[in-house]
Amino acid sequence: MRWTGPSILVVASLVAWPAALRAQTTGSLAGRVTDPSGGVLPGASVEAKSPSLQGVRSTAADTTGVYRLSLLPPGTYSVTFTLSGFTSRTVDGVRVGLDKDTVLDATMALATMKEAVTIIAEAPVVDTTTTTLGQNLDERAIQTLPSGRNYSSVVQVTPGVSSDANPDNRQQATISVYGSSGAENTFLIDGVNTTNVEYGFQGKDLNFEFIQEINVKAGGYEAEFGKATGGIINVITKSGGNQFHGDLFGYLDSDSLQRATEPVVSTGGTVTGFRRGDFGLDLGGPVVKDRLWFFGAYDRVTNTTDSALPSGPREGDVVQAKTTRNLASAKLTWKVGANQTVLATFFQDPRHDTGVINDASHTLNGDPLTYQGRQDFGGRDYALGYDATISRSWILSAQAARHEEENSVGPESAAGDVIQYRDSEADFYQLGGFGLIQQKTFRRNLARASLTRFAGAHQLKLGAEWEQEKAEVVKRMSGGQQVDFFPNSTGGPQIYRHFYWTTPDAVLGNAPLSQLTANPEHRNTAVFLQDRWALTKRLTVNLGLRWDRQEIIDAAGTGQIDLKKDVAPRLGFVFDPTGDHRTKVFGSYGRYYEQIPMDLVIRSFSFERQPRIINFDPVATRPSLAAEAAFGTDSAILGGFTEPSDPDIRNQFLHEAIAGFEREIAPDVALGIKGVYRKYGRVIEDFLCADDGTYCIGNPGTGLMTNVFTLDYSQQLAAPKPRRVYKGLQIDLTKRFSHRWQGLASYVLSKLDGNYDGEYAPFTNAGADPNISAAYDYYDFFTNGRDLDRITNTGPLSNDRRHQFKVSGLYETPFKLSIGLAAYFRTGTPLTRYGYSDAYSRYEFFLTERGAEGRQPSSYEADLHLGYALPLGGAARLNVLLDVFSLLNAQRAVLLDQRYSFQEADNFLPAPANPNYLQPVLRTPPTSVRLGVRLSF
């Protein structure tokens, strides 16, 4: 009998039936009730109250004295323990976190007094139930820690999380988790998968007024969570309450509140001025007290940016970009029964950019028609969820949702819909029209359900997820094509290289101008089973198994790839040597599979054919043998109807192993030491598998991809095995909020080494192409392009930062002033000499080994938040807010230009052809101030 992922899980569920969990949008409270001698007190009543909870939640301790309250909305609780013959005990200020088990043991004395005993929270700061690494950020931290008005910026206080080292990450908001690239994380909001459908980046913006709590899972997470080889960013939006509460808020920042900026070299120009306005309101409260709550919010964000042109006849002229974003959130919380809740959620972030378009495909290095346009991003999300405590032993959760997003760009007017030309001798200065035009919309439908069972020492959870992703895509070039022109080294006429989309039946010599039109689909299914098994009072074992299936369906409705063998084990243990929940020794192993973004199916299975025509004509698209000989590159049509894939293809995944120790060294203070090891086990990539320009998809180093062609197709050589290895040692110190302050400090010593960056390859300067980068297209791309006997694509990878130190915290003074601080120091990423590929019009050659040119400079900065609350009577208060970013005004270079040349013939010049080589492209920002005000009632 052949065992598959589903059959293994079904059998396992019958043996250990059924399963347990904390819901992705709630937390839980659990513990043991004993008398002063340690004897258990079965039947003790436990009742929890909170402004976050509709009504009260109660249970009773079982025969072992253990109690559990599940599906608790995150918040601060008052917990009361009662039992006949014993003094009642109330614990106030108990914090229940998102997707966290809060352990609260209680000791009850015999009744010698009539008064109940009330104390302040004494729940341990160390979580002895889980192996997950990460951080919870509640509303206090989110609104007090200084950060950008995007939740992905505040999560960077988490140990192991840093900004992704790529040139498109100008706002430093794209995050890398333990060495993974920024396209490998999963973003959940109210249980909805909002990860960008096309590329895998963050797919939804929310401001702080909408958010109640953020849970960052950096590693060691259980089988319930998958579809990521980086981290899980789990966010819940606010709900209403039994009292009406609301805010009117506004924020303003501009260049008048900023220090002068140090210069950089960039085809994106130099920002000379900006003004950002951010104004909104929110309101929440009861429709029916303890029964039906509502919350609604709206925020309009406008941003105007002035930039000086970097080059050309208009060098220094100032152009303007305008951005408008309409953020909104709404939620209904309905208690339909004593232990049943229905949640309806909506949130949106549509964005419209006009004027100057400055992205990976459009720069300010050109004439006005080449960068004046309009972009549309963002979209809407809808979700309906149901949570029920069926009995003391059973919990049911279910959700249906839809995620919608857009990523479109086009010229400002019809005047820009003409051919774009690029001058190779002027850093590809753009002339003529707008270049890339695309209209792209995406939709992800989601359904998931889980069943939890508490059975003695076992907390079991069985769950299933289903997703359907669809895309509607049109891509073309303005005027039908993009044309680069080069000098002729033989002294003949100027050489032109034409790039465009053509028809599926085109042949070289007769390839008409066309466009890419695609309507592909993904279907993703997952089943998971996990068991948190308390072997003893001090030892917990976490066992999990997850099975994922991804079906990739082309534009004609034909299934192209079916990844149905993704069985991911999760194993972990937590040992509490002292038995008081204040110390833990833990370890875990997990296999984590990627969820392939839709960029692959759009480009590889949607009849994409892209001619590269070399000739002496600025418009015609017939190849010229003489031009090809002078240029040293042949004309070709790349792509095909659909790309062949290895019939035995398996999904991309990584191994992760974690070992750690945590100890509460003082009240509310925990010290942790953790070791993290991550290694790619397998990769999916494309490559040229025939000398006619046909790409294939497989697993590098095996099967169809055992060998790859050289650029001239003269030979096939063994494909290098993909390698990315992360080794990290983390020391962190956590002080939870008490006595008016909280703090977090961490140091990470790490090494990231290999030959494959991951889902995003920043060195190409060509944007993201997950799983179909050019890394394996030709064997030459692992070398300097001239010496094929020497592999140079190896060494420290793009996100390798050897040392990172971070500290953050907040303090609420007795006189209503709140202070937040966040600071960091990190060493720079590797420097490599990158060579230009004429065939690909971007940087694919490693002229030196990775990191051979040294390191980017180390960077450091500190940000400060000040907030003062003026009481206005009753619950009303006026919060005056001041954020000071980059206090040190260091303006350190965080990214240097590593492009050595602008054409392949210059890759081996004794001096760089690029005059800006190793000059700063991106710096830490100058000191700036953001003013804000929030009227709360």
Side-chain angles (χ1 to χ4, degrees):
M1 177 178 181
R2 184 177 181 181
W3 293 88
T4 64
S7 61
I8 293 171
L9 286 175
V10 169
V11 172
S13 67
L14 293 174
V15 173
W17 177 260
L21 65 84
R22 303 171 306 274
Q24 293 178 353
T25 57
T26 59
S28 67
L29 184 65
R32 188 182 300 270
V33 187
T34 61
D35 61 26
S37 67
V40 300
L41 296 178
S45 176
V46 186
E47 183 180 83
K49 299 179 181 179
S50 171
S52 302
L53 180 69
Q54 291 176 324
V56 298
R57 193 71 57 81
S58 61
T59 189
D62 64 17
T63 56
T64 64
V66 173
Y67 75 92
R68 170 173 289 272
L69 292 167
S70 301
L71 301 178
L72 297 177
T76 301
Y77 284 75
S78 177
V79 185
T80 300
F81 301 87
T82 58
L83 182 64
S84 178
F86 290 80
T87 301
S88 296
R89 180 184 181 91
T90 298
V91 184
D92 289 332
V94 179
R95 176 69 195 166
V96 173
L98 173 60
D99 200 37
K100 289 285 187 180
D101 277 337
T102 299
V103 177
L104 182 67
D105 292 338
T107 300
M108 300 180 66
L110 290 170
T112 57
M113 60 182 74
K114 293 183 179 180
E115 294 84 4
V117 177
T118 301
I119 61 174
I120 302 302
E122 56 181 30
V125 66
V126 175
D127 186 350
T128 56
T129 67
T130 181
T131 61
T132 301
L133 303 185
Q135 191 70 27
N136 270 50
L137 300 165
D138 61 14
E139 185 179 355
R140 176 190 284 113
I142 292 169
Q143 294 196 356
T144 307
L145 290 173
S147 64
R149 298 271 295 154
N150 182 351
Y151 69 87
S152 65
S153 60
V154 74
V155 305
Q156 294 189 44
V157 302
T158 305
V161 178
S162 63
S163 60
D164 189 23
N166 77 66
D168 293 330
N169 191 16
R170 295 187 179 96
Q171 303 301 317
Q172 297 290 281
T174 303
I175 58 173
S176 167
V177 179
Y178 291 134
S180 296
S181 72
E184 298 176 48
N185 307 304
T186 292
F187 297 86
L188 305 174
I189 301 179
D190 287 344
V192 182
N193 181 2
T194 62
T195 310
N196 174 256
V197 178
E198 186 176 13
Y199 298 118
F201 294 106
Q202 179 186 355
K204 184 66 59 176
D205 275 0
L206 287 181
N207 74 27
F208 296 161
E209 278 77 18
F210 297 8
I211 297 174
Q212 183 174 347
E213 189 158 333
I214 303 172
N215 170 241
V216 182
K217 298 180 188 298
Y221 37 92
E222 296 172 325
E224 176 181 0
F225 296 93
K227 303 176 181 178
T229 49
I232 307 289
I233 315 302
N234 188 14
V235 179
I236 58 167
T237 60
K238 291 181 179 179
S239 302
N242 279 331
Q243 304 294 326
F244 288 101
H245 293 286
D247 301 284
L248 295 171
F249 55 86
Y251 298 86
L252 176 67
D253 47 347
S254 72
D255 59 280
S256 63
L257 303 173
Q258 177 178 281
R259 295 280 295 271
T261 304
E262 293 291 332
V264 297
V265 294
S266 171
T267 55
T270 302
V271 175
T272 61
F274 68 93
R275 182 180 178 85
R276 177 186 171 101
D278 185 337
F279 303 96
L281 73 164
D282 61 74
L283 179 65
V287 177
V288 180
K289 285 191 175 183
D290 283 328
R291 193 75 174 180
L292 180 62
W293 293 349
F294 77 93
F295 176 82
Y298 173 76
D299 182 21
R300 182 177 177 85
V301 182
T302 59
N303 191 13
T304 301
T305 303
D306 297 327
S307 299
L309 297 178
S311 57
R314 298 175 181 82
E315 181 177 353
D317 286 0
V318 175
V319 294
Q320 191 172 87
K322 295 182 179 180
T323 296
T324 302
R325 176 152 257 171
N326 293 296
L327 305 174
S329 174
K331 181 184 284 186
L332 287 174
T333 306
W334 180 25
K335 182 180 178 181
V336 297
N339 296 297
Q340 301 178 72
T341 302
V342 171
L343 288 170
T345 299
F346 166 79
F347 42 93
Q348 69 167 29
D349 67 338
R351 168 181 155 186
H352 310 291
D353 294 356
T354 57
V356 169
I357 304 301
N358 190 0
D359 60 15
S361 301
H362 308 89
T363 74
L364 302 190
N365 187 35
D367 289 344
L369 289 180
T370 68
Y371 53 71
Q372 291 177 341
R374 171 175 172 138
Q375 279 184 310
D376 295 285
F377 298 107
R380 295 168 175 81
D381 290 77
Y382 313 82
L384 185 65
Y386 173 77
D387 293 324
T389 302
I390 301 173
S391 69
R392 200 161 72 177
S393 300
W394 295 86
I395 294 173
L396 173 66
S397 292
Q399 184 185 57
R402 169 174 286 190
H403 169 76
E404 298 174 348
E405 65 182 70
E406 182 178 9
N407 180 10
S408 299
V409 64
E412 184 177 62
S413 67
D417 196 359
V418 295
I419 297 174
Q420 181 182 96
Y421 295 90
R422 301 192 304 175
D423 184 354
S424 66
E425 293 192 292
D427 200 1
F428 292 93
Y429 185 85
Q430 301 163 166
L431 304 158
F434 188 71
L436 178 65
I437 299 173
Q438 51 189 8
Q439 294 87 41
K440 299 183 291 185
T441 59
F442 302 91
R443 183 175 71 246
R444 177 189 290 128
N445 295 320
L446 163 72
R448 63 181 181 88
S450 60
L451 191 62
T452 301
R453 165 90 167 145
F454 304 105
H458 296 272
Q459 299 179 29
L460 298 146
K461 180 178 182 179
L462 178 67
E465 303 172 1
W466 173 84
E467 287 183 350
Q468 180 193 52
E469 297 175 328
K470 289 190 173 183
E472 296 182 4
V473 176
V474 175
K475 291 184 181 183
R476 66 181 181 89
M477 289 296 178
S478 62
Q481 59 178 313
Q482 184 182 66
V483 183
D484 298 335
F485 54 92
F486 300 83
N488 191 332
S489 60
T490 67
Q494 188 163 249
I495 297 170
Y496 293 89
R497 180 181 58 196
H498 305 253
F499 173 84
Y500 56 98
W501 281 274
T502 191
T503 58
D505 58 351
V507 294
L508 198 61
N510 184 21
L513 305 178
S514 186
Q515 66 182 27
L516 172 69
T517 302
N519 297 279
E521 180 180 349
H522 279 187
R523 295 174 191 162
N524 305 315
T525 309
V527 181
F528 64 89
L529 174 66
Q530 62 193 41
D531 181 10
R532 182 174 294 177
W533 181 12
L535 280 171
T536 70
K537 292 181 181 179
R538 299 187 180 187
L539 178 62
T540 300
V541 176
N542 293 322
L543 305 173
L545 192 64
R546 181 182 178 93
W547 172 77
D548 284 274
R549 181 181 186 182
Q550 298 185 59
E551 299 173 84
I552 296 177
I553 301 164
D554 68 21
T558 302
Q560 290 290 341
I561 294 179
D562 190 355
L563 302 172
K564 56 185 178 182
K565 298 180 181 180
D566 298 356
V567 178
R570 309 285 170 84
L571 308 172
F573 74 91
V574 183
F575 178 58
D576 179 1
T578 59
D580 59 0
H581 306 300
R582 284 172 166 77
T583 305
K584 74 174 181 179
V585 178
F586 64 98
S588 70
Y589 165 78
R591 178 180 287 191
Y592 298 92
Y593 283 92
E594 174 204 5
Q595 177 165 323
I596 297 175
M598 289 198 78
D599 180 60
L600 181 147
V601 69
I602 293 169
R603 299 207 57 208
S604 301
F605 299 123
S606 300
F607 316 110
E608 179 179 73
R609 307 196 72 212
Q610 296 174 298
R612 180 187 69 223
I613 305 299
I614 314 297
N615 60 25
F616 297 124
D617 193 298
V619 178
T621 57
R622 296 187 67 85
S624 165
L625 293 177
E628 293 171 4
F631 192 53
T633 300
D634 292 338
S635 299
I637 299 178
L638 301 178
F641 292 92
T642 57
E643 295 180 6
S645 57
D646 192 323
D648 297 320
I649 192 171
R650 302 286 297 277
N651 197 13
Q652 183 162 313
F653 76 92
L654 60 77
H655 301 281
E656 178 193 78
I658 293 173
F661 168 83
E662 284 188 39
R663 170 66 183 170
E664 188 171 334
I665 59 175
D668 301 316
V669 179
L671 173 67
I673 302 174
K674 293 114 179 183
V676 180
Y677 176 84
R678 284 182 166 183
K679 179 182 179 180
Y680 263 136
R682 186 169 50 238
V683 160
I684 287 179
E685 268 292 349
D686 68 343
F687 71 114
L688 271 297
C689 55
D691 60 7
D692 62 356
T694 299
Y695 288 87
C696 292
I697 298 176
N699 301 126
T702 63
L704 197 62
M705 286 188 71
T706 301
N707 300 306
V708 296
F709 276 111
T710 55
L711 263 167
D712 60 5
Y713 297 103
S714 65
Q715 56 183 321
Q716 283 187 304
L717 300 175
K721 290 278 190 178
R723 184 172 175 269
R724 187 181 76 188
V725 178
Y726 175 89
K727 300 175 183 177
L729 175 65
Q730 174 178 308
I731 301 173
D732 51 63
L733 190 67
T734 305
K735 164 68 170 67
R736 73 175 170 193
F737 188 81
S738 63
H739 307 290
R740 297 184 176 273
W741 74 283
Q742 71 181 50
L744 174 63
S746 66
Y747 167 71
V748 176
L749 169 67
S750 65
K751 181 179 181 181
L752 181 67
D753 194 75
N755 61 11
Y756 188 77
D757 276 311
E759 295 308 284
Y760 187 90
F763 57 85
T764 65
N765 293 83
D769 256 338
N771 301 107
I772 51 172
S773 72
Y776 279 89
D777 284 8
Y778 297 103
Y779 186 88
D780 307 61
F781 292 163
F782 280 89
T783 74
N784 61 17
R786 185 166 67 180
D787 182 3
L788 300 186
D789 294 328
R790 181 187 172 207
I791 297 292
T792 49
N793 177 11
T794 185
L797 296 174
S798 299
N799 276 308
D800 178 52
R801 300 183 187 274
R802 296 299 167 88
H803 304 277
Q804 295 188 69
F805 175 75
K806 292 188 281 191
V807 61
S808 61
L810 61 92
Y811 175 60
E812 295 183 350
T813 68
F815 45 89
K816 304 185 185 305
L817 176 68
S818 61
I819 303 171
L821 177 71
Y824 71 89
F825 168 85
R826 58 187 179 224
T827 51
T829 52
L831 282 172
T832 304
R833 186 181 298 181
Y834 295 128
Y836 189 78
S837 164
D838 289 341
Y840 273 54
S841 308
R842 60 192 194 198
Y843 294 83
E844 301 293 352
F845 296 116
F846 292 78
L847 304 183
T848 64
E849 290 189 356
R850 287 177 178 262
E853 297 285 83
R855 291 267 167 177
Q856 320 266 4
S858 298
S859 60
Y860 49 84
E861 258 308 344
D863 302 326
L864 176 69
H865 169 88
L866 299 173
Y868 188 76
L870 296 170
L872 300 179
R877 63 191 184 279
L878 181 66
N879 296 279
V880 181
L881 309 170
L882 174 70
D883 289 280
V884 183
F885 299 104
S886 301
L887 278 168
L888 306 178
N889 197 39
Q891 299 199 49
R892 301 283 289 178
V894 295
L895 184 66
L896 305 183
D897 193 343
Q898 299 171 75
R899 303 172 302 154
Y900 193 77
S901 58
F902 297 140
Q903 52 185 315
E904 199 167 320
D906 296 335
N907 283 348
F908 295 96
L909 293 175
N914 176 9
N916 296 323
Y917 183 64
L918 296 186
Q919 295 300 305
V921 173
L922 183 67
R923 295 181 181 272
T924 55
T927 301
S928 64
V929 173
R930 182 177 68 204
L931 304 175
V933 63
R934 184 187 305 118
L935 175 62
S936 302
F937 55 89

